[in-house]
């Protein structure tokens, strides 16, 4: 009879140790998952608050001048953006462009909501239809014009 009690006691202790180790693993995994969800929530929040609009006139002769495309882009969202080339991705006629500059139209620092930046893209174009795609924090804007 005593041998049955001892074996039950050993099985009980072993099952408690296994349960404690499983609980420790779950606690650690849930903590990591919670952190990842918080980070993703911040990224999505930034994407939602970002909105830009190309305000250049597609019929204007000022869009293209001897190898340079000049666009004016307004920050219509609520997110403060950096007025630098690292803030946006630029594609001209489907080709990724790295040779471009971004400056505030009034020359004052950051790209606040409601302000305009000038995007100057060094790109030679042939006569015809052209398309510029700007992507800022997953907000895509397409500007089409003809030379």
């Amino acid at each position: 009879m005593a041998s049955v009690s001892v074996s039950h006691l050993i099985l009980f202790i072993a099952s408690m140790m296994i349960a404690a180790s499983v609980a420790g693993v779950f606690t650690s995994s849930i903590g990591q998952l919670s952190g990842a969800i918080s980070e993703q929530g911040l990224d999505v929040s930034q994407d939602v608050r970002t909105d830009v609009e190309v305000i250049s006139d597609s019929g204007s002769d000022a869009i293209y001048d001897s190898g340079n495309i000049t666009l004016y882009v307004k920050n219509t969202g609520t997110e403060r953006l950096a007025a630098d080339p690292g803030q946006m991705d630029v594609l001209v006629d489907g080709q990724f462009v790295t040779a471009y500059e971004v400056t505030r139209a009034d020359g004052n620092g950051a790209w606040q909501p409601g302000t305009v930046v000038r995007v100057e893209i060094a790109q030679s174009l042939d006569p015809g239809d052209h398309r510029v795609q700007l992507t800022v924090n997953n907000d895509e804007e397409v500007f089409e014009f003809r030379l």
Side-chain angles (χ1 to χ4, degrees):
M1 187 81 164
S3 64
V4 171
S5 297
V6 170
S7 64
H8 282 143
L9 182 62
I10 291 172
L11 289 174
F12 176 74
I13 291 172
S15 64
M16 292 305 283
M17 290 177 64
I18 291 171
S21 64
V22 168
V25 168
F26 281 149
T27 302
S28 174
S29 297
I30 289 172
Q32 291 173 350
L33 182 63
S34 173
I37 289 173
S38 294
E39 288 178 22
Q40 185 178 12
L42 290 173
D43 290 343
V44 169
S45 172
Q46 184 181 32
D47 291 349
V48 167
R49 293 189 321 250
T50 301
D51 190 24
V52 298
E53 293 291 328
V54 178
I55 60 172
S56 295
D57 180 12
S58 62
S60 172
D61 291 336
I63 298 295
Y64 183 75
D65 183 30
S66 64
N68 285 320
I69 303 168
T70 302
L71 299 177
Y72 289 91
V73 183
K74 184 174 185 177
N75 182 354
T76 56
T78 59
E79 180 75 13
R80 179 179 176 260
L81 304 168
D84 61 24
Q87 184 68 47
M88 68 177 67
D89 293 330
V90 177
L91 285 89
V92 176
D93 295 331
Q95 299 296 315
F96 186 73
V97 176
T98 58
Y100 68 95
E101 293 182 13
V102 179
T103 55
R104 273 262 312 253
D106 61 5
N108 296 328
W111 192 8
Q112 300 288 345
T115 60
V116 176
V117 295
R118 179 178 31 254
V119 180
E120 295 181 25
I121 307 164
Q123 183 80 21
S124 295
L125 298 175
D126 295 326
D129 293 333
H130 299 282
R131 177 182 168 131
V132 178
Q133 178 180 324
L134 303 174
T135 305
V136 181
N137 289 350
N138 291 327
D139 179 46
E140 295 179 359
E141 291 300 316
V142 176
F143 181 77
E144 295 176 344
F145 63 100
R146 177 185 289 264
L147 291 182

